[in-house]
């Protein structure tokens, strides 16, 4: 979406300087998108396009793949690829376990909160999160709020986020994750790293998860441990995957898209 160009530019400016020396990141965007994520069905459609980009990155020789959206096909990508695969969601939540006892995720809409809560359970992290672990700001985010936050997140976004964060703290949270890959770097850039008047950290999930992927790549290089090759992540037969794609009218090889 061309009107969100300021957001892309912000990410591509803010993220690379925080990587370890020698690490580089290439930002890739799905060539097709439903341009809508606040729906389980739309999320499923977007996941197909995201998988295409992940598979292409593996074929292009990248050391690791990172999904910069909380709505992601993480486990599907881990099954198909033989390089480390990280997501803004799982990796930032795992990092939160080392920061505190109970975390919460604050995101941009009730639909997104429901999807994140589902993932928390799927990843087996429910016991380390608060009751109702994923919550939305109110009113929900829209493109006007996002673009306004690129200019000044303190004007509208941070007050909404801070209010939701205080409710999470009252319910036992001692770590708050930013449940949107776009807003995390914006809050960090603005200096909003703790909930106002507290010492409860607000983690830029995007940067935290990318740093986690760097560690995953380091582990793979040092020990050759990438993933389990037992079910469910055993790499499927490539020819059968190609036939499955062809049966759905998709190009057999990602390079043909």
């Amino acid at each position: 979406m061309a009107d969100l160009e300021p957001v892309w530019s912000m990410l591509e400016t803010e993220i690379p300087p925080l990587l370890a020396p020698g690490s580089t990141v290439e930002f890739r965007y799905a060539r097709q998108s439903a341009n809508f994520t606040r729906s389980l069905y739309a999320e499923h459609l977007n996941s197909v396009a995201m998988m295409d980009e992940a598979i292409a990155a593996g074929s292009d020789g990248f050391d690791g793949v990172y999904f910069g959206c909380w709505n992601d096909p993480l486990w599907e990508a881990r099954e198909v690829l033989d390089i480390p695969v990280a997501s803004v969601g799982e990796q930032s939540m795992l990092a939160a376990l080392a920061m505190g006892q109970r975390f919460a995720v604050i995101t941009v809409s009730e639909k997104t909160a429901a999807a994140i809560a589902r993932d928390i359970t799927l990843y087996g992290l429910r016991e380390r999160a608060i009751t109702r672990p994923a919550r939305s700001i109110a009113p929900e985010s829209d493109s006007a709020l996002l673009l306004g936050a690129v200019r000044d997140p303190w004007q509208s976004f941070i007050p909404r986020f801070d209010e939701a964060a205080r409710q999470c703290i009252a319910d036992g949270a001692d770590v708050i994750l930013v449940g949107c890959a776009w807003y995390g770097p914006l809050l960090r850039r603005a200096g909003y790293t703790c909930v106002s008047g507290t010492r409860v950290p607000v983690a830029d999930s995007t940067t935290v998860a990318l740093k986690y992927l760097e560690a995953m790549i380091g582990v793979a290089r040092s020990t050759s441990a990438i993933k389990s090759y037992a079910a469910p992540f055993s790499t499927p037969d490539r020819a059968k995957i190609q036939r499955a794609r062809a049966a759905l009218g998709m190009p057999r090889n990602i390079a043909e898209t």
Side-chain angles (χ1 to χ4, degrees):
M1 298 174 65
D3 56 339
L4 294 181
E5 177 59 34
V7 180
W8 318 142
S9 296
M10 177 275 298
L11 291 173
E12 293 177 16
T13 299
E14 288 293 316
I15 297 300
L18 301 176
L19 301 179
S23 293
T24 60
V25 60
E26 180 176 311
F27 293 85
R28 292 190 175 186
Y29 304 97
R31 282 163 282 187
Q32 291 182 310
S33 173
N35 291 321
F36 182 59
T37 60
R38 297 176 190 180
S39 155
L40 296 178
Y41 178 57
E43 177 185 338
H44 182 70
L45 295 175
N46 285 321
S47 290
V48 175
M50 293 171 70
M51 280 296 306
D52 277 2
E53 295 301 329
I55 295 171
S59 298
D60 290 344
F62 285 87
D63 296 313
V65 167
Y66 167 79
F67 285 119
C69 181
W70 285 75
N71 299 323
D72 63 69
L74 174 63
W75 284 12
E76 292 85 348
R78 285 214 179 118
E79 179 201 39
V80 173
L81 298 179
D82 293 307
I83 56 175
V85 181
S87 74
V88 62
E90 186 193 54
Q91 271 48 69
S92 65
M93 287 190 276
L94 291 176
L97 303 186
M99 299 180 195
Q101 184 178 21
R102 303 264 182 210
F103 70 87
V105 182
I106 298 176
T107 188
V108 295
S109 73
E110 291 293 343
K111 276 281 194 175
T112 308
I116 292 173
R118 176 197 62 196
D119 286 346
I120 291 172
T121 299
L122 179 69
Y123 299 152
L125 301 176
R126 189 65 191 79
E127 295 302 314
R128 292 294 298 276
I130 65 170
T131 302
R132 291 183 52 237
R135 306 185 186 185
S136 174
I137 62 170
E140 295 184 351
S141 176
D142 56 19
S143 59
L145 182 69
L146 177 58
L147 290 171
V150 174
R151 296 186 295 272
D152 181 10
W154 290 97
Q155 182 174 7
S156 297
F157 181 75
I158 289 178
R160 297 187 200 182
F161 189 96
D162 206 61
E163 181 179 355
R166 289 178 174 280
Q167 294 172 7
C168 292
I169 292 172
D171 289 339
D174 55 7
V175 177
I176 303 295
L177 298 177
V178 184
C180 174
W182 295 339
Y183 280 114
L186 286 173
L187 296 190
R188 176 180 48 77
R189 183 177 68 172
Y192 180 77
T193 56
C194 286
V195 179
S196 299
T198 78
R199 300 185 68 183
V200 174
V202 175
D204 166 10
S205 299
T206 299
T207 302
V208 167
L210 275 169
K211 299 299 290 185
Y212 202 113
L213 176 59
E214 285 186 316
M216 292 168 66
I217 293 171
V219 168
R221 288 174 175 169
S222 299
T223 70
S224 77
I226 298 172
K227 68 173 185 177
S228 171
Y229 284 89
F233 294 150
S234 56
T235 307
D237 183 275
R238 186 171 183 81
K240 292 180 179 178
I241 292 296
Q242 289 177 332
R243 288 199 297 270
R245 290 176 59 86
L248 295 174
M250 303 169 65
R252 290 170 58 88
N253 297 306
I254 300 300
E256 298 171 3
T257 59

